[in-house]
Amino acid sequence: QGVSSAASDVYKRQVQVRHRDPRKLPSAADHFRRCISSSPGFAPAQIQLAATLLAQYQWGETSAAAIEAEVESLLRQAEESDGVTDELLTLRMEVLTLLLWQPQLAEENFAAWLPQRLPPGPSRHGWVRHLLAIGRPAEALDLLEPELSGGTTPSGWFLAGLSHLQMGRLEAAITTLRHQLRLDPNLVAPRWLLALSLAQANRNTEALEELARCAPHPEPLHAASALVLALSGEGDRAAIQLGAALRGGPRPLGMATLWGLVAVCLGEDAAAGRLLEQAVQHRCGLAPFAWQWSGLDRLGDSTALQTFRSRMASRFHRPGPTVTTPEAGKAVETA
């Protein structure tokens, strides 16, 4: 009965993680923790909690240091309970790339065999996030497009929009994200990404309208909101939000990367340098994606931005072409 109840909770909240909606992730994490508390060793809840923690980290709700040990413990427990499934392997790969910032190791261990065996959906989306983090959006889009033909995959559409945005295909990004919002107008992250795409395309009025539609913004999206404002000619409003964030104290800011880019937009190079250094030092979850953003060149070539690019290049260790053989990948899988 305990496992049955836990399963009900897991499947009820799973969709919140798959949509990666920053407003709903804390509630989902609470549910998965309750499932584990009532049914220790229930692998599906352990897997979903690990995925939720990764999503919260990417939205600035927690830090890399705060979740590393817990994520590792959850994955080990799930492996002992259910064995090594494709879903677990994908999470292992995401942890390497997005949490530990070791994408080269993820490529060496997984690239030659894992993507080919992943079914469409959440597990494949993990590999897509890896590709986007290392700056290979065309490959990411190739994996996504077959599953988008049915038109019913919200997280897939978001990742496709991000792929287009990374390639600088602004109209394609805007069209893709608007399609997703027609499927589910309540999703906040795609609406923000749409606003960012519109701002990058100098369609400022539309960008501000989309930003207003997802207000009030959850705390993780305050930095995202400020970046759209700064790019859309609303520097005064962006400066107020940045000032409020900086007064929050010396602790590592969630979304330090985006706050740093806001400071760059506002010409606050000293603050930008501190924030972007903080983003690299504390492994901000959005730093790899921001590093690949096609709109970065629009922000100019400030000292803070130059240093950020250099620090990311030395810290994130973006891999080159895959050289791992299928046999080597199989050996990793077996291990």
Side-chain angles (χ1 to χ4, degrees):
Q1 180 63 35
V3 170
S4 175
S5 175
S8 175
D9 261 350
V10 166
Y11 299 131
K12 178 180 179 182
R13 298 294 168 177
Q14 198 172 46
V15 70
Q16 295 180 342
V17 181
R18 291 182 176 180
H19 287 188
R20 305 176 79 82
D21 185 332
R23 298 168 302 181
K24 298 179 180 179
L25 292 172
S27 172
D30 289 343
H31 271 262
F32 296 137
R33 290 187 195 282
R34 284 197 292 272
C35 291
I36 294 170
S37 178
S38 62
S39 300
F42 186 53
Q46 293 163 341
I47 291 170
Q48 290 307 317
L49 179 55
T52 304
L53 292 173
L54 279 175
Q56 288 184 288
Y57 156 67
Q58 289 168 12
W59 281 117
E61 294 177 350
T62 187
S63 67
I67 67 169
E68 278 183 55
E70 185 175 9
V71 167
E72 173 61 24
S73 175
L74 288 165
L75 295 184
R76 284 193 179 277
Q77 291 176 59
E79 288 164 354
E80 291 169 1
S81 299
D82 264 15
V84 181
T85 63
D86 286 347
E87 190 171 21
L88 272 170
L89 287 167
T90 304
L91 277 172
R92 281 286 184 198
M93 177 276 305
E94 282 200 79
V95 166
L96 280 175
T97 296
L98 301 177
L99 183 61
L100 302 181
W101 283 20
Q102 296 181 28
Q104 179 68 55
L105 188 57
E107 280 284 307
E108 291 170 356
N109 286 350
F110 296 104
W113 57 278
L114 183 61
Q116 290 73 34
R117 60 187 276 176
L118 294 175
S123 292
R124 182 179 290 180
H125 296 170
W127 187 259
V128 167
R129 285 187 289 273
H130 163 80
L131 291 173
L132 292 174
I134 64 175
R136 283 154 53 181
E139 292 177 51
L141 199 58
D142 285 344
L143 284 177
L144 289 166
E145 283 183 332
E147 69 182 82
L148 298 181
S149 58
T152 57
T153 313
S155 56
W157 285 102
F158 176 84
L159 292 169
L162 184 56
S163 301
H164 287 302
L165 188 60
Q166 276 198 9
M167 290 187 281
R169 297 165 54 174
L170 301 183
E171 289 305 318
I174 290 166
T175 299
T176 298
L177 293 163
R178 281 187 164 151
H179 180 85
Q180 179 179 22
L181 289 165
R182 283 195 294 272
L183 295 173
D184 188 345
N186 297 313
L187 294 173
V188 66
R191 198 169 294 283
W192 165 71
L193 194 64
L194 173 58
L196 181 65
S197 303
L198 290 164
Q200 186 177 335
N202 295 313
R203 293 162 63 173
N204 295 345
T205 299
E206 293 173 79
L208 294 172
E209 288 172 350
E210 294 298 339
L211 196 62
R213 288 190 180 103
C214 54
H217 306 291
E219 184 175 352
L221 286 181
H222 287 177
S225 166
L227 182 59
V228 173
L229 290 173
L231 291 171
S232 302
E234 296 288 334
D236 289 345
R237 291 170 61 191
I240 291 171
Q241 292 193 15
L242 175 62
L246 293 175
R247 287 192 296 272
R251 65 176 178 80
L253 283 169
M255 287 198 163
T257 305
L258 295 194
W259 284 122
L261 296 184
V262 172
V264 170
C265 289
L266 299 176
E268 300 286 348
D269 207 47
R274 290 194 301 272
L275 287 162
L276 292 173
E277 173 57 29
Q278 188 179 76
V280 178
Q281 181 181 351
H282 295 282
R283 282 176 282 147
C284 174
L286 279 176
F289 301 99
W291 186 30
Q292 311 300 339
W293 177 38
S294 60
L296 215 55
D297 290 338
R298 171 178 168 171
L299 305 187
D301 201 23
S302 69
T303 300
L305 214 47
Q306 288 178 20
T307 302
F308 173 67
R309 285 173 155 149
S310 175
R311 291 277 284 123
M312 285 299 296
S314 63
R315 181 76 186 275
F316 190 66
H317 301 302
R318 185 170 58 188
T322 301
V323 296
T324 310
T325 65
E327 291 75 16
K330 186 65 177 176
V332 171
E333 178 192 5
T334 302

